[in-house]
Amino acid sequence: MVGPERSSLPAPAPLLSIRNLCKRFGDRMVLKDVSFEIGAGEAVVLIGPSGSGKTTVLRCLNQLETPTSGTITLAGDVIGGSLAPDGTRWKPFGEADIAGQRRRFGFVFQRFNLFPHLSALQNVALGPRLTLGLPKATAEARAAAHLERVRLADHRDKRPGQLSGGQQQRVAIARALAMEPELILFDEPTSALDPELVHEVLDVMRALARDGMTMIVVTHEMSFARQVAHRVVFMADGAIVEQGAPDALFTAPQHETTRRFLAHVRNR
Amino acid sequence: MSIDWAVVAMAIPLLAQGALTSLRIAALAGLLGLAGGVALGLIALGGFTPARLAVRAYVDFIRGTPLLIQIFIVFFGLPMLGWRPGEYLSGVIALSLNSAGYIAEIVRGAVGSIERGQTEAAQSIGLTRGKILLHVLLPQAIRPMTPALTNDLITLVKNTSLLSVISVYELTRSGQAIIASHFAPLEIFALLALYYYLIISVLAYISRLIERKLPAW
Ligand SMILES: Nc1ncnc2c1ncn2[C@@H]1O[C@H](COP(=O)(O)OP(=O)(O)OP(=O)(O)O)[C@@H](O)[C@H]1O
Ligand SMILES: [Mg+2]
């Protein structure tokens, strides 16, 4: 089942566990009891039609949205708050604790969201300098190493506006990596790119997966999913419809919704 | 009707003195107003609600009352608090407080209009609100703020003339003194207008230069 590009199978204890995650916007339930687990080193690709809630799942993980209900734990730590000692009251975390948890997740945005006033190097060094408290030189050395890793060492002094979309997205990946997160969330990292720039970003992500980085990737790049994912999760209408190894899910989907979605994606 | 050229010749250097005073006041009040305004603007964007509401109320007061009244309140109010800074300092303080209120709004508007993705990207690397404001949002707001800040500075220069009512010897007041002794109101007021116009033209020109020099990303 495991293709040549995939690293060894995940460890049994899950790194991330999502249980009965629900999210409501106004009177619309956008996520309905989403539950799944991810082991350390696992690469999971999340697919599904537009509006099915993929982005919302990632945003809940990184606390850019507050879940309506459900529990998320990262390496045993509950995300977003804690139960009071008597075990009955939920106490949401303050800003500092939330920030401390957020940086355990890397987040790569569809539209890069690089800081336009800073050079590539400063973009990557900002987090280590300001939130990990590293001295400037140390932070920049670390940033340089991560830019090297995404093969942008030569562009460290350029501003985002001077870089191509593919280069910008790789800087954004380096920015996430520099925080040494426990896992990285990718939200359609290549869908804002010109087609000829897609592969350079996917190559970087493929290398990360091979190095054992835990990741959740929302993407419509099915060949990437086939090659890299340990598991593909298919969502529709705010719920997980089915999940499994890519070969199994792509060749023999169990549900009609999945079949229709896959046919639709293939025909594009 | 004839123009009294002798008075004009005599007034030009005297008014230049007053103009210098006006410029000094505007520069001082501009700097204090900018510092105060940025601070208030950041508080208005910050997470501490009571402070945010206090800034809101302050800005409303500044924008909702005439500057002339604010000048009198400072001028007569400070001595009641046991401090007699004199008319010059009182004037500077009043103008600073006024322009801080307007600048707070400029800062709040410019920072608030920066794309949400910037804040979210900063949050995702673990930055907290204050650091996001300082290191991510404020630097990006500088260029969009410049035209509004320039306008504010121009208004400030014109507003220095109101300090004549508390006897600050700035440009307008020094003109009034000449009028009182030589009775040539039209000549002097025309000269005053010319002085203000020149000062403001130069400022507008400089600020356009600065704006062009600021990086656009
Ligand atoms: N802040 C919000 N307020 C209200 N509704 C929202 C908000 N964010 C998302 N939604 C709604 O929630 C649903 C799920 O959105 P989400 O962005 O998670 O979908 P998605 O699977 O990522 O879709 P896409 O493939 O188009 O990116 C959509 O119907 C969307 O309109
Ligand atoms: Mg989405």
Side-chain angles (χ1 to χ4, degrees):
Chain A
M1 294 275 281
V2 178
E5 296 229 40
R6 290 166 212 146
S7 50
S8 58
L9 277 175
L15 173 67
L16 177 77
S17 137
I18 304 169
R19 228 176 282 291
N20 303 108
L21 179 64
C22 295
K23 176 66 188 176
R24 193 174 52 218
F25 286 117
D27 51 10
R28 261 203 73 199
M29 277 311 253
V30 163
L31 296 180
K32 303 160 191 160
D33 279 321
V34 171
S35 300
F36 67 102
E37 294 184 338
I38 294 182
E42 204 181 358
V44 171
V45 165
L46 190 53
I47 59 173
S50 180
S52 55
K54 308 177 296 291
T55 297
T56 307
V57 169
L58 298 191
R59 291 174 61 84
C60 285
L61 293 179
N62 210 23
Q63 302 184 62
L64 294 172
E65 304 288 355
T66 311
T68 306
S69 64
T71 315
I72 301 165
T73 50
L74 176 66
D77 301 321
V78 178
I79 295 297
S82 61
L83 284 176
D86 61 18
T88 55
R89 273 174 306 114
W90 171 254
K91 277 191 16 216
F93 281 142
E95 194 195 5
D97 287 324
I98 290 179
Q101 285 189 330
R102 276 200 185 115
R103 66 177 192 234
R104 297 172 66 182
F105 296 86
F107 203 111
V108 176
F109 299 85
Q110 185 172 351
R111 304 214 44 90
F112 331 137
N113 296 357
L114 291 178
F115 308 127
H117 59 299
L118 299 178
S119 70
L121 188 77
Q122 292 167 326
N123 261 279
V124 181
L126 192 70
R129 195 158 64 78
L130 294 182
T131 70
L132 306 179
L134 299 186
K136 190 160 182 270
T138 318
E140 290 189 347
R142 182 193 280 203
H146 285 289
L147 282 176
E148 177 85 58
R149 193 170 173 190
V150 297
R151 297 194 303 277
L152 284 174
D154 296 343
H155 299 279
R156 48 182 277 172
D157 294 323
K158 292 191 183 155
R159 291 233 176 84
Q162 302 168 294
L163 297 171
S164 74
Q167 291 169 333
Q168 289 188 55
Q169 192 60 297
R170 286 187 281 146
V171 174
I173 292 173
R175 177 175 68 182
L177 286 172
M179 298 302 293
E180 299 182 344
E182 287 158 63
L183 81 168
I184 303 190
L185 313 170
F186 293 87
D187 190 9
E188 301 200 31
T190 59
S191 59
L193 297 178
D194 292 337
E196 73 272 18
L197 300 177
V198 166
H199 72 94
E200 64 186 55
V201 171
L202 292 183
D203 285 349
V204 165
M205 292 167 61
R206 200 173 283 131
L208 286 181
R210 204 161 31 217
D211 293 347
M213 174 58 79
T214 313
M215 48 209 243
I216 306 180
V217 184
V218 174
T219 185
H220 296 298
E221 297 289 333
M222 294 302 151
S223 59
F224 173 83
R226 256 179 200 282
Q227 291 167 16
V228 179
H230 295 102
R231 180 154 49 106
V232 175
V233 175
F234 173 68
M235 279 184 73
D237 199 21
I240 293 179
V241 176
E242 64 179 300
Q243 50 180 308
D247 302 325
L249 192 121
F250 288 141
T251 51
Q254 299 301 300
H255 290 261
E256 179 54 31
T257 337
T258 321
R259 268 193 288 277
R260 259 187 282 127
F261 174 75
L262 290 174
H264 176 72
V265 173
R266 277 194 200 102
N267 290 339
R268 279 197 315 186
Chain B
M1 195 210 113
S2 66
I3 295 172
D4 187 343
W5 290 105
V7 170
V8 170
M10 184 265 319
I12 286 176
L14 283 180
L15 292 183
Q17 291 278 320
L20 274 180
T21 307
S22 286
L23 277 176
R24 253 198 317 270
I25 292 172
L28 253 176
L31 283 175
L32 290 173
L34 184 64
V38 169
L40 291 177
L42 291 181
I43 292 172
L45 290 157
F48 186 52
T49 309
R52 225 168 45 205
L53 292 178
V55 170
R56 187 77 264 145
Y58 177 77
V59 169
D60 279 350
F61 174 78
I62 292 294
R63 300 209 299 184
T65 55
L67 174 56
L68 189 61
I69 307 294
Q70 294 166 17
I71 292 169
F72 280 129
I73 289 178
V74 169
F75 183 64
F76 292 112
L78 288 180
M80 288 188 59
L81 298 175
W83 185 33
R84 301 183 170 279
E87 57 272 14
Y88 181 86
L89 253 187
S90 295
V92 170
I93 291 170
L95 291 178
S96 304
L97 290 174
N98 180 267
S99 99
Y102 283 95
I103 290 175
E105 270 306 282
I106 295 174
V107 171
R108 201 179 64 92
V111 169
S113 68
I114 290 169
E115 197 209 344
R116 241 186 96 73
Q118 289 291 308
T119 301
E120 293 184 347
Q123 287 175 324
S124 78
I125 51 173
L127 266 60
T128 43
R129 202 159 182 150
K131 285 177 179 165
I132 295 173
L133 275 174
L134 215 58
H135 295 274
V136 175
L137 301 181
L138 196 56
Q140 294 185 55
I142 289 174
R143 192 185 160 97
M145 278 187 323
T146 321
L149 289 178
T150 303
N151 269 337
D152 199 75
L153 182 63
I154 287 173
T155 307
L156 179 58
V157 170
K158 291 193 270 192
N159 282 346
T160 55
S161 72
L162 288 176
L163 298 187
S164 57
V165 300
I166 55 170
S167 305
V168 177
Y169 219 80
E170 43 63 67
L171 182 50
T172 300
R173 178 75 189 178
S174 53
Q176 288 170 338
I178 299 173
I179 294 170
S181 52
H182 291 81
F183 201 73
L186 186 60
E187 286 86 342
I188 299 301
F189 279 122
L191 267 181
L192 287 179
L194 193 63
Y195 264 101
Y196 283 112
Y197 181 75
L198 287 176
I199 292 171
I200 283 162
S201 300
V202 170
L203 284 178
Y205 177 73
I206 293 173
S207 81
R208 269 198 304 276
L209 281 188
I210 292 175
E211 211 179 310
R212 224 173 301 149
K213 281 263 155 39
L214 283 175
W217 22 74

